[in-house]
Amino acid sequence: TAERGKDLKVLGMINDRTGYGCATAVPSKGAKHPFPVKWAERALARSSGMRFVIQTDPDNSAGQVAAEVASTAQKPTSTRKTPVGSHESTGHIERYFRTLHGQIRATRLGYEKAVNATLDGDSAAMTWVIRHSSFLLARFQTWYGIAPYRREFSRDYEGLLCKFGERVWGRVPKALNKRKWKARWMPGRWLGKDENSDEHLVLSQQTGEVTRT
């Protein structure tokens, strides 16, 4: 998908049984970089499903990631490719990406308003914009009348959220190991929640690093 400043490469997955999707920016197409494969492995690991068939379009780069994931996934996983030009076979993911693009635009505009600056496509924050947008869709965008999160895990999502880019205080990493007079909290911007642990993600105003709290 293209955003301001440069082309962003986005990897997305959706469970066509529950509608639960997730997406992230990736450094490159294919499986040359280890991140896309590791990210997809974690997505399958946290799914309620016990056996998977990863369906990709004929694009060789997506097939490379799927093949690597299938060979290392914790749960039985196989792959298949859709016929060329078969939009019916890729309907779920195409609709998901259309909706995701709209949520990305809304999340980015909200962040720009919060920080009073323009967020270009080559900004590191766009990674978190994409992740948070997919996080919201999975939990609050209904899919055939029911939120995908509820279909996936048989319960509603009840985690606490802030506005994306809102000023917050986050716990300093290893704060409990610091001396009593050392600061244990730091100012920063809220960048969403970790998909696996549900921890808050905070961009430190002091170091520019993203920490979990």
Side-chain angles (χ1 to χ4, degrees), residues 139-188:
R139 287 154 179 76
F140 305 111
Q141 174 74 34
T142 58
W143 194 73
Y144 294 103
I146 300 175
Y149 186 92
R150 181 170 181 79
R151 287 185 185 274
E152 185 74 35
F153 302 110
S154 300
R155 64 181 186 276
D156 292 327
Y157 179 72
E158 298 180 345
L160 300 177
L161 302 176
C162 300
K163 289 184 179 180
F164 192 82
E166 181 179 345
R167 290 184 182 276
V168 296
W169 287 85
R171 186 185 293 274
V172 174
K174 299 181 180 179
L176 297 180
N177 296 332
K178 294 184 179 294
R179 295 183 182 276
K180 292 182 178 180
W181 60 83
K182 293 286 187 179
R184 296 190 176 185
W185 296 88
M186 61 181 184

Side-chain angles (χ1 to χ4, degrees), residues 2-210:
E3 298 291 343
R4 297 187 209 141
K6 63 181 292 189
D7 287 339
L8 280 176
K9 299 173 181 64
V10 179
L11 177 63
M13 301 175 68
I14 185 170
N15 185 329
D16 63 3
R17 179 179 59 85
T18 64
Y20 190 99
C22 52
T24 185
V26 293
S28 61
K29 286 187 174 183
K32 291 182 179 180
H33 195 283
F35 174 74
V37 175
K38 294 297 183 182
W39 177 84
E41 287 176 349
R42 289 194 294 269
L44 294 187
R46 67 173 173 264
S47 172
S48 62
M50 299 305 296
R51 183 182 297 273
F52 301 96
V53 177
I54 304 177
Q55 179 171 291
T56 65
D57 59 26
D59 179 15
N60 190 48
S61 61
Q64 290 174 2
V65 174
E68 287 290 329
V69 172
S71 67
T72 58
Q74 299 174 1
K75 302 174 183 178
T77 305
S78 59
T79 67
R80 68 184 177 208
K81 290 188 177 182
T82 61
V84 176
S86 177
H87 293 289
E88 292 183 0
S89 301
T90 58
H92 285 304
I93 194 67
E94 289 180 357
R95 286 191 294 273
Y96 175 70
F97 265 104
R98 284 198 297 270
T99 306
L100 177 65
H101 289 166
Q103 185 60 54
I104 288 173
R105 287 192 292 271
T107 302
R108 184 184 65 194
L109 289 173
Y111 183 82
E112 290 177 335
K113 184 177 181 180
V115 302
N116 193 29
T118 298
L119 186 60
D120 291 329
D122 56 359
S123 169
M126 278 303 299
T127 295
W128 305 106
V129 168
I130 293 167
R131 289 194 184 189
H132 185 57
S133 296
S134 68
F135 183 96
L136 293 176
L137 292 181
R139 287 154 179 76
F140 305 111
Q141 174 74 34
T142 58
W143 194 73
Y144 294 103
I146 300 175
Y149 186 92
R150 181 170 181 79
R151 287 185 185 274
E152 185 74 35
F153 302 110
S154 300
R155 64 181 186 276
D156 292 327
Y157 179 72
E158 298 180 345
L160 300 177
L161 302 176
C162 300
K163 289 184 179 180
F164 192 82
E166 181 179 345
R167 290 184 182 276
V168 296
W169 287 85
R171 186 185 293 274
V172 174
K174 299 181 180 179
L176 297 180
N177 296 332
K178 294 184 179 294
R179 295 183 182 276
K180 292 182 178 180
W181 60 83
K182 293 286 187 179
R184 296 190 176 185
W185 296 88
M186 61 181 184
R189 297 277 183 178
W190 192 80
L191 295 185
K193 304 191 81 173
D194 183 89
E195 186 80 29
N196 295 297
S197 66
D198 206 45
E199 293 172 293
H200 294 276
L201 302 171
V202 178
L203 174 64
S204 172
Q205 181 178 306
Q206 300 168 340
T207 66
E209 297 178 344
V210 177

